[in-house]
Every structure is written in C-alpha cells, then in structure tokens.
Amino acid sequence: MERTVGATPPRVLTIAGTDSGGGAGAAADLRAMAACGVHCCVAVTAVTVQNSLGVSGVHPVPPETVAAQIETVAADIGLDAVKTGMLASAAIIEAVAGACDRSGIGVGRPTPLVVDPVAASTYGDQLLPDDALDAFRALLFPRATLITPNLDEVRLLVGVDVHDRAAQYDAAVLLHRFGSRYVLVKGGHLREDLDSCVDLLYDGRTFVELPGPRFDTGDTHGSGDNMASAIASGLARGLSVPEAVALGKRYVVEAVRHSYPLGAGHGPVSPLWAVRPWWEDGVP
Ligand code: PXL
C-alpha cells in the first residue's frame, strides 16, 4: 500500500506530572498540543494519584531521570518550544534548569521556554513544597521566555493578594523582576470580574490586557495547563509572545466553554473542542 510521508509538525516538550484522572498535567498538555497542531514530547516529573475529588498521592521521579528525558529528546528529536508544569520539588527544578542550559532551552537560546509555576491544583491540593518556590524564582524565572502564574501562585511567589485590577498590575511588575522576558498574570481567580476574565501580559515596559468571558462552571480542571500548552505551541510555530498568548487565550476560552462534568468533583476543560467528530461519519 502506498503512503504519503507526513510533514513533521513543530516539536514541543512538556515537562509535567501525570494526572490519573486525565484532566490536567501531561494528559492535558498532550491533548492540547495535539489539538494545536504540534508534536508533543513528554518528560514526566511526578506521578500523581488523583480523581475529580482531589490528589491523594504524589510520587516524584528522580531528578536525574527528569533531566535525562529532556536532554535525550532535545538531542535527537529537537525542540521548537518547551513548557513546564508541575515540577514537584526543588531538586527537580534544579535538574530542569541544568538540562535546559545543556539543551539550548530558554531566553537567549534557540528554544523558547514557557514556565507555568504550578504550585497547587485548582482545588487547593499542594503540588509543590514551599521550599521549592525559591528554586522557581532563582533558577527558572530568569530562564523563562514567559511565566504564567494564576493568582494563588502570585500570592505564594510575591506575597501579593490580588483583589482588583490595580493589584494585578503591581503583581506583574514584581514578578517581572525575577528576570523572565514576559509575565502573564492570569485573572481567572479575580472575583472582582463577575462576567469577564482578564489576563495581563507584561514585558517590563508595556501592559496588554486580554479580556475574555467568564463561565459559570466549576469544571475548570486543567485550564492553566491547556492555556500554557497552546501558548507554547504558538511559539513553536514562530509566533511572537503577544501573538502566542492571544492564541492561548482564544484556545482556553473555548476549552472552558466546552468543559464537562466527570466524577463527583470538578470536571475538566475540553482540550479537543476543535476536533471534528469524524467517528460519527459511520464505519465504511
Ligand atoms: O492544573 C495544574 C496541574 C498540573 N499538573 C498536575 C496536576 C495539576 C492540577 O491538579 O494534577 C499533575
């Protein structure tokens, strides 16, 4: 049988934990990146035991195994962008920073790096020990093209409780001082905005507000992972950071619009909202 060799899509690596419930972490990143047209490589940092009700176990992968996954993929497959999610410990963050340096990943290097500083699940389960926050600030933020904290992570990282837009601006300035090229302060947890969700992008000089709708749903598990994955996919195809962030916003708005209930707790957003249901065409 003849076949056509497919065109190689842009290559993105996610450095992330697993979610046995399939809504967040590596499972979200894989689907989001596939839906955004890129090939997704996976370096697993931790295995979590969880369902829609919460996280009941976290089992980190040895730091040297995390670094080896990154370096072995970069050396052979090559990478057009990298995204980090749950990193689980200070030692893993240190290993990721070292592997990035040895693989041409990060600001001033060929491959852009998106750092989603995952510290807790949307519902409060801790995914990072407190002593790892320093490692994030000192080792990963200076290497990041973009960091994408939500307001819970902002509070942990710079001690600012953001209750209004002015504080969101202040937090962006404080976070930018840690050395990332861009900061995206996501506004999903800002209750001041009743019908909207405004994210704020800052590059050290210019602020850009990204407004979007707010949906009345508790099924938002994995929303941050999906957004950062879409942004990394945009960067991998050569978009600028503001363009990739606008793409990520559009993508996550639709993912939340199409979220679904699952289990007795919080359901996931839908990374595959754009996939046509080809299986309904019938069996030939
Ligand atoms: O959504 C943040 C996140 C990232 N990675 C893993 C998670 C979660 C949230 O629960 O479980 C593995």
Side-chain angles (χ1 to χ4, degrees):
M1 182 66 85
E2 287 216 11
R3 64 179 291 273
T4 310
V5 177
T8 303
R11 303 145 301 172
V12 184
L13 170 68
T14 179
I15 306 171
T18 66
D19 166 6
S20 47
D29 296 349
L30 265 164
R31 285 178 295 163
M33 290 185 191
C36 291
V38 304
H39 176 87
C40 177
C41 303
V42 186
V44 175
T45 56
V47 173
T48 75
V49 181
Q50 63 177 298
N51 58 22
S52 75
L53 297 169
V55 180
S56 55
V58 174
H59 303 275
V61 166
E64 57 276 16
T65 307
V66 176
Q69 292 174 86
I70 299 165
E71 291 178 56
T72 205
V73 164
D76 167 48
I77 293 173
L79 295 168
D80 299 300
V82 173
K83 179 232 158 186
T84 68
M86 174 186 178
L87 296 181
S89 74
I92 291 179
I93 293 174
E94 215 172 297
V96 168
C100 286
D101 289 353
R102 291 187 291 276
S103 302
I105 299 162
V107 166
R109 300 198 159 95
T111 308
L113 175 65
V114 176
V115 173
D116 185 13
V118 172
S121 79
T122 321
Y123 311 110
D125 299 303
Q126 193 159 357
L127 298 173
L128 189 78
D130 294 336
D131 71 357
L133 292 169
D134 263 342
F136 252 127
R137 287 181 292 243
L139 297 177
L140 270 195
F141 289 2
R143 291 172 165 81
T145 309
L146 169 71
I147 63 172
T148 63
N150 62 32
L151 296 187
D152 290 335
E153 290 151 359
V154 166
R155 186 165 18 81
L156 288 169
L157 289 163
V158 290
V160 175
D161 225 335
V162 174
H163 286 300
D164 57 22
R165 185 87 56 243
Q168 195 177 3
Y169 275 71
D170 293 344
V173 172
L174 290 174
L175 283 160
H176 191 266
R177 292 195 186 137
F178 292 113
S180 64
R181 182 73 192 75
Y182 285 83
V183 175
L184 182 70
V185 179
K186 296 178 292 189
H189 298 177
L190 189 55
R191 290 298 154 198
E192 178 189 74
D193 296 329
L194 293 178
D195 299 318
S196 65
C197 170
V198 180
D199 303 329
L200 182 66
L201 182 66
Y202 181 58
D203 68 354
R205 287 189 335 188
T206 310
F207 295 93
V208 179
E209 288 189 11
L210 292 107
R214 177 180 294 278
F215 299 103
D216 186 16
T217 177
D219 297 333
T220 58
H221 187 51
S223 50
D225 316 54
N226 275 276
M227 184 178 197
S229 291
I231 294 170
S233 302
L235 293 177
R237 49 175 90 261
L239 297 185
S240 68
V241 172
E243 287 169 339
V245 167
L247 182 102
K249 179 74 175 177
R250 178 178 160 221
Y251 178 77
V252 78
V253 163
E254 294 308 319
V256 179
R257 194 198 304 278
H258 293 86
S259 72
Y260 49 93
L262 198 68
H266 295 283
V269 303
S270 174
L272 301 181
W273 56 268
V275 171
R276 192 182 73 78
W278 56 268
W279 51 90
E280 289 175 3
D281 295 349
V283 180

